[in-house]
Amino acid sequence: MATHKLLLLPGDGIGPEVMGEVKRLIDWLNSSGIAKFETDTGLVGGSAYDAHKVSISEGDMAKAKDADAVIFGAVGGPKWDAVPYEVRPEAGLLRLRKDLALFANLRPAVCYPALADASSLKREAVEGLDIMIVRELTGGVYFGEPKTITDLGNGQKRAIDTQVYDTYEIERIGRVAFELARKRKNKVTSMEKRNVMKSGVLWNEVMTQVHKREYPDVTLEHQLADSGGMMLVKWPKQFDVIVTDNLFGDMLSDIAAMLTGSLGMLPSASLGEVDVKTKKRKALYEPVHGSAPDIAGKGLANPIAMISSFGMALRYSFDMGALADKVDQAIAAVLANGLRTADIKSEGTTSVSTTQMGEAILKELQKLHA
């Protein structure tokens, strides 16, 4: 049995709490002989700044490059609001994405049957929801240069962020979306702002060309990103795979998170290119939720997104799709049994802590393997 190397980066706030539930799951998989994972732990974000005055140390960056996958918790919090911009907690995550060349971010939004009433939308709008948002992750306005704030004098300043995309960046994220669609409902919706942005004009043009040249069997639709956001909260089930740039993907995936009932429910995978020799790819898996410092240390955090993110690692990094399916089934079973953390609590359900939710999911997974 192959040994897979994992780097765990719990981060800040509730990160260590939800990561603890993933560690519990990994320990069981190892002890039961179902899989073999070798884990190491590092610091990122505010915790790395406190220890090393950087958002991620060179040593932990080297560990990330050596790992088969990185499992990431959350970073940031008011405690580090005043630290220099270049070493802010979020810079650690951005460096991981950039240095590992993790250009494709996959964010599924799935509404479990038991949580249809927890969504901000009516049950009929979200029941059975299963969409995938594919976000380009290493280009666009978050990384474009120049990125400056200039003092103009007389109390005036000018801030510049640059939105930049090259053809190849759009092509490769398009291929990820089309390949995923072929395994789902065979439909891709590309979102941009071609009506006001030159990058949107190029995005639309390249997506159309890749579709015509390589994926004519897949249905392709184009939609402006702002109207796409509106349609996500009006009738989200019209979508299957949504592909978009870094900025719009950030916003649209958070909108999609609330369709499922809570940010605490949404996992994500950030993937690099497949190495032609090893057939492996660099990857980082993280929940979409933030560090939630207001509830850190109180046992209130929802670990489902973190556990689901590890499930995505099983699927996309380790070719353990069947096991990933069982993780999803275990989560669904726990929710069907009425267990809820505070963020998804509703009348007639049972409130549980972070640890209790993690334990319940593991017990259901063990039943599926009995």
Side-chain angles (χ1 to χ4, degrees):
M1 182 183 295
T3 299
H4 305 296
K5 296 176 67 174
L6 295 175
L7 176 63
L8 309 183
L9 295 175
D12 310 318
I14 62 172
E17 295 172 70
V18 294
M19 186 68 78
E21 301 313 309
V22 168
K23 188 66 167 62
R24 184 199 308 275
L25 180 54
I26 293 170
D27 289 345
W28 175 73
L29 291 173
N30 281 338
S31 64
S32 62
I34 295 170
K36 194 172 181 182
F37 293 103
E38 178 185 301
T39 61
D40 200 350
T41 303
L43 299 175
V44 69
S47 60
Y49 180 80
D50 289 346
H52 307 296
K53 293 298 181 282
V54 292
S55 57
I56 185 167
S57 69
E58 294 304 321
D60 283 336
M61 198 65 229
K63 289 180 183 179
K65 291 178 179 178
D66 187 51
D68 294 317
V70 177
I71 313 296
F72 186 98
V75 292
K79 177 182 177 182
W80 302 283
D81 281 351
V83 305
Y85 182 79
E86 62 275 10
V87 291
R88 70 199 186 282
E90 295 78 10
L93 177 57
L94 292 177
R95 183 179 175 191
L96 283 161
R97 290 171 177 172
K98 196 70 175 178
D99 286 12
L100 298 179
L102 307 177
F103 72 93
N105 183 242
L106 277 53
R107 295 191 175 187
V110 176
C111 185
Y112 290 94
L115 289 184
D117 291 324
S119 172
S120 51
L121 271 63
K122 293 180 180 178
R123 170 179 280 272
E124 57 265 28
V126 296
E127 192 169 24
L129 178 70
D130 182 359
I131 61 178
M132 178 73 79
I133 296 180
V134 179
R135 167 189 172 192
E136 200 290 322
L137 204 59
T138 55
V141 74
Y142 290 176
F143 293 100
E145 296 291 346
K147 182 184 288 290
T148 62
I149 297 179
T150 304
D151 192 334
L152 303 177
N154 298 318
Q156 297 296 305
K157 293 182 179 181
R158 176 179 294 143
I160 298 175
D161 290 290
T162 305
Q163 169 84 344
V164 177
Y165 271 109
D166 292 341
T167 299
Y168 82 93
E169 293 176 296
I170 304 170
E171 287 178 336
R172 67 181 183 181
I173 196 67
R175 291 188 182 103
V176 171
F178 288 122
E179 292 289 348
L180 277 170
R182 278 179 169 171
K183 299 174 183 178
R184 294 170 54 90
K185 298 174 185 174
N186 224 38
K187 178 183 176 183
V188 170
T189 304
S190 174
M191 295 189 184
E192 28 63 15
K193 283 288 288 180
R194 62 189 180 278
N195 57 336
V196 291
M197 298 173 68
K198 287 294 187 181
S199 60
V201 173
L202 181 63
W203 185 282
N204 179 277
E205 176 186 303
V206 174
M207 283 292 172
T208 301
Q209 291 170 348
V210 171
H211 172 250
K212 184 178 180 179
R213 186 173 65 240
E214 302 175 38
Y215 301 94
D217 56 302
V218 180
T219 298
L220 173 63
E221 295 180 347
H222 296 281
Q223 191 154 11
L224 296 178
D226 50 353
S227 64
M230 179 187 72
M231 295 310 298
L232 265 176
V233 297
K234 183 179 181 181
W235 192 247
K237 287 190 284 188
Q238 67 183 280
F239 300 113
D240 179 27
V241 175
I242 295 171
V243 61
T244 189
D245 73 8
N246 208 342
L247 175 62
F248 296 137
D250 195 355
M251 294 187 289
L252 292 168
S253 57
D254 278 7
I255 292 171
M258 287 313 299
L259 303 177
T260 69
S262 169
L263 271 174
M265 297 297 299
L266 213 68
S268 77
S270 299
L271 308 176
E273 301 247 31
V274 176
D275 186 282
V276 291
K277 293 182 179 179
T278 65
K279 303 302 180 185
K280 292 183 178 182
R281 68 197 320 164
K282 297 297 181 185
L284 180 147
Y285 300 90
E286 61 174 314
V288 173
H289 64 67
S291 62
D294 56 319
I295 63 168
K298 298 179 180 179
L300 298 174
N302 186 346
I304 289 178
M306 186 79 254
I307 292 171
S308 295
S309 295
F310 177 67
M312 292 186 79
L314 296 175
R315 189 180 305 279
Y316 294 109
S317 281
F318 306 123
D319 197 26
M320 299 181 188
L323 182 56
D325 289 341
K326 288 181 179 179
V327 172
D328 291 340
Q329 291 165 23
I331 292 170
V334 168
L335 294 172
N337 289 337
L339 300 188
R340 301 285 189 274
T341 45
D343 58 315
I344 51 174
K345 180 78 172 71
S346 60
E347 189 176 345
T349 59
T350 303
S351 293
V352 294
S353 68
T354 306
T355 299
Q356 289 170 328
M357 179 62 84
E359 289 174 343
I361 292 169
L362 178 55
K363 285 180 181 177
E364 290 295 336
L365 186 60
Q366 289 170 337
K367 287 180 188 177
L368 291 169
H369 271 280

